Amino acid sequence: MKTAGIFAGAVALAASIASVANAHTYLSHVTLDGTKYDEGVCIRPYPTNRNFPVKDPASTDLTCNVGGVSSPAAKTCPVEAGSTITVEWHHDNDSASDDIIDASHEGPCLVYMAPLESNGQGDVWFKIFEDGYDASSKQWCVDKIRASGGKLDVTLPSDIKAGDYLLRTEVIALHEADTDYATNSARGAQYYPNCAQISVSGGGSAEPQGYAIPGIYKTDSPGILFNLYSSYSSYPIPGPPVYVSGSAGSSDGSSSEAAAEETTPAEETLAAEETSAAEETTPAADDEESTPAEDTGAAPDSSADYEATTEAPAPTATEPADEETETPVSSAPSIDNYPTTVFVPGKCH
């Protein structure tokens, strides 16, 4: 009986590990200007366990996955600025039966870019796409890519400088994000980043503000620490804002200089004449006799910008702050709740 119980427990543990293995994902393909490239082409080399998540948001693996900054892609693939590209995730391969990512791994999808010459290091990453939770349809981005066979369309900014870029795709799974990774490293949000290399033609001169990866997320950032099992109607997508074409000029400040140059000499002369006319219309204070103010026992109004003294509202009693309530954290069953994780070579945990 005891042996049978141990065997049953081992089977249950193996089944749990298998279920977790069915949950992970990786960037399999990119389609640029209508050309779908074979798996791994344009994409930086995969680690041994290509669909395993990154758990620590402070790790350099967050940039382009394990080893992603040390090895370039076999090809830098061409694409036009402003075009719509397709990125495609899979769990095992691009077969029709592939589950993309487990349905329990709800969360957002994000896409970033950085100049290729930076190798993704420093304040170089700008976000070009994000999709989190749609309250009207009650769908996450993960639901959408599962329904589309792993595919997601993303429009590149139309005004960025031509050149070679890293294109970083990311899915963040929140099924264990109800616990801070810094508190329990067996839980926390799971990150699935990959980087492709693209060569952008056309475009303009914009160089969007960049941010460092790692550095954009902390273990307790809103949207990183998130209880998927509580009641919610919105979701704060983590990271910097999405860059919108036309919202930034080049980093040399040429946009500011151009704005300053828009003021012509004629406009300056007109402004000066209007200022002079206004000064003549207003009587100088020195030309008027000063009339002593009637003593009312009240302090004189010290503001010259107001014509009459405005009586300040009477102070009201400060209402006590609402007592902060703490919502109990409930967690879905997970293999990560076991005290010890069994690692099986070649399997995903």
Side-chain angles (χ1 to χ4, degrees):
M1 293 293 293
K2 184 176 181 180
T3 303
I6 293 174
F7 177 76
V11 170
L13 180 58
S16 297
I17 292 174
S19 68
V20 172
N22 288 333
H24 298 169
T25 195
Y26 69 98
L27 179 66
S28 176
H29 297 279
V30 292
T31 300
L32 310 173
D33 290 342
T35 300
K36 181 177 179 178
Y37 291 89
D38 291 339
E39 182 169 282
V41 176
C42 319
I43 301 171
R44 290 205 160 183
Y46 303 117
T48 302
N49 299 307
R50 61 184 181 180
N51 63 0
F52 274 33
V54 175
K55 294 294 294 294
D56 185 357
S59 169
T60 55
D61 293 339
L62 189 69
T63 308
C64 292
N65 212 321
V66 178
V69 297
S70 59
S71 301
K75 182 177 181 179
T76 300
C77 302
V79 65
E80 286 284 332
S83 64
T84 298
I85 67 172
T86 301
V87 297
E88 185 174 336
W89 287 277
H90 286 286
H91 169 247
D92 285 320
N93 50 57
D94 61 356
S95 67
S97 61
D98 189 77
D99 60 350
I100 315 301
I101 185 172
D102 192 80
S104 67
H105 285 35
E106 303 282 33
C109 312
L110 311 100
V111 181
Y112 296 81
M113 292 179 67
L116 180 60
E117 63 183 4
S118 71
N119 200 29
Q121 299 176 319
D123 296 336
V124 294
W125 293 98
F126 56 97
K127 186 191 289 183
I128 65 167
F129 177 88
E130 64 180 21
D131 186 13
Y133 176 71
D134 184 346
S136 61
S137 64
K138 299 187 183 303
Q139 281 197 323
W140 289 86
C141 184
V142 162
D143 297 318
K144 298 174 184 177
I145 63 173
R146 279 175 50 80
S148 65
K151 298 179 181 66
L152 180 70
D153 290 340
V154 177
T155 300
L156 300 180
S158 60
D159 62 348
I160 56 174
K161 290 179 63 175
D164 295 341
Y165 288 88
L166 285 170
L167 179 79
R168 177 183 181 273
T169 64
E170 181 178 42
V171 171
I172 302 179
L174 303 173
H175 59 293
E176 294 178 346
D178 57 336
T179 302
D180 190 333
Y181 172 82
T183 302
N184 180 0
S185 61
R187 295 184 66 80
Q190 295 183 359
Y191 313 87
Y192 296 90
N194 289 102
C195 291
Q197 295 180 193
I198 61 175
S199 183
V200 177
S201 58
S205 60
E207 297 179 351
Q209 179 181 349
Y211 301 84
I213 300 176
I216 55 174
Y217 311 139
K218 297 185 182 302
T219 61
D220 59 353
S221 296
I224 298 297
L225 183 62
F226 184 82
N227 189 350
L228 196 62
Y229 312 108
S230 66
S231 176
Y232 56 86
S233 59
S234 63
Y235 169 74
I237 300 177
V242 172
Y243 173 72
V244 178
S245 294
S247 63
S250 60
S251 60
D252 61 5
S254 59
S255 296
S256 299
E257 293 173 2
E261 291 174 355
E262 289 178 358
T263 302
T264 63
E267 290 172 339
E268 293 176 355
T269 302
L270 178 60
E273 291 175 351
E274 290 177 348
T275 302
S276 177
E279 291 174 347
E280 292 176 0
T281 304
T282 305
D286 293 338
D287 294 337
E288 297 179 353
E289 292 185 1
S290 177
T291 303
E294 181 181 356
D295 187 6
T296 62
D301 181 15
S302 60
S303 174
D305 295 331
Y306 293 91
E307 295 181 357
T309 302
T310 302
E311 183 178 355
T316 59
T318 303
E319 295 181 3
D322 293 337
E323 292 185 3
E324 185 174 346
T325 58
E326 184 174 346
T327 303
V329 174
S330 60
S331 303
S334 167
I335 180 59
D336 293 323
N337 289 328
Y338 284 90
T340 303
T341 301
V342 177
F343 290 89
V344 179
K347 297 294 183 178
C348 181
H349 298 270

